[in-house]
Amino acid sequence: MTDQQTIAIRPGGPDDATAVLRLLDSATAWLVARGRTGQWGTEPASADPRRIAQADAWATGGGLWLAMVGDTAVGALVVGSATAYVPPATEPELFVNLLVTDRAYAGHGIGARLLAYAAELARERGLGLLRVDCYGGDDRALVRFYEGCGFTATDRFTVERPGREPWPGQVLERRLG
C-alpha cells in the first residue's frame, strides 16, 4: 500500500456496524496490550450491548464513513452533533463522534485522511468549525495526535461513570478556512 493513494473513503450503511465493531475491538486490544486501558477499557466492543447498539446507530444514522483498502475497512469516521457530555459549541459545527483505525495499517495516515475528509464535509455544509472529543488521560498521546492534525485543545471535561473510574476527556477544535 502506498499510504493515502490506495485508501478510498465511502459512506457507511446498516451493513457496516460489524466493521465498526471489528475496528473498535482491534483498537481496544492494541490499547490493552500497551497497558492503556483508560480510553476504552479492556473488553471488546462486540461483547458490550451498549457498544453494539451504538455501532448500529452510527451505521444507520447517515454520518458513518469508512476508509477502505480494497474490500477491507481500515478506518471509520462518524460525524454529526456533539455528544451531550461535551461542552457545547458557540457556533454551528460538525462534530467527530468516532475516529478509529485498524492498527495493522498504522503509519499510513488513515486517521489524518479521515479527519481531512471530515473537514471537507464541514466546508461543504458551510460550517467553519470542526470539533472532536477524545480520551485526555494517561500521557495525552491522543490529544497530541489531533493537535498534529491541525486541532487545538480547548475544554477539558470529566465523564462520571457510576461504579467505574471517571473518564477524562478533551475537546479539540479546528477552524476551517
Side-chain angles (χ1 to χ4, degrees):
M1 184 167 95
T2 58
D3 291 334
Q4 297 181 13
Q5 294 178 350
T6 58
I7 300 168
I9 298 177
R10 70 162 176 83
D15 293 336
D16 294 315
T18 55
V20 171
L21 289 168
R22 178 187 57 77
L23 289 165
L24 288 168
D25 286 353
S26 173
T28 300
W30 183 85
L31 289 165
V32 168
R34 283 149 185 80
R36 302 175 67 97
T37 60
Q39 182 175 337
W40 285 337
T42 59
E43 299 302 314
S46 61
D48 181 344
R50 183 186 65 80
R51 297 291 271 171
I52 293 167
Q54 189 175 44
D56 287 338
W58 286 330
T60 59
L64 173 63
W65 298 89
L66 296 174
M68 306 293 294
V69 172
D71 292 333
T72 303
V74 296
L77 167 75
V78 176
V79 294
S81 300
T83 313
Y85 58 76
V86 172
T90 58
E91 65 189 84
E93 69 174 344
L94 186 62
F95 197 87
V96 175
N97 301 105
L98 175 71
L99 178 69
V100 61
T101 62
D102 186 331
R103 299 311 305 160
Y105 291 85
H108 291 281
I110 296 166
R113 172 87 184 268
L114 286 167
L115 289 172
Y117 192 78
E120 289 175 32
L121 291 170
R123 284 185 197 98
E124 287 173 4
R125 297 172 189 186
L127 301 171
L129 180 64
L130 179 65
R131 289 196 316 155
V132 63
D133 77 288
C134 71
Y135 180 64
D138 296 331
D139 62 3
R140 296 178 57 83
L142 191 53
V143 173
R144 286 193 307 279
F145 164 77
Y146 285 109
E147 289 173 335
C149 292
F151 286 80
T152 301
T154 58
D155 301 301
R156 288 188 183 202
F157 63 95
T158 301
V159 177
E160 298 298 331
R161 306 180 305 173
R164 298 188 294 168
E165 291 291 318
W167 190 86
Q170 176 71 60
V171 177
L172 297 102
E173 69 179 26
R174 181 174 165 200
R175 296 273 167 199
L176 306 172

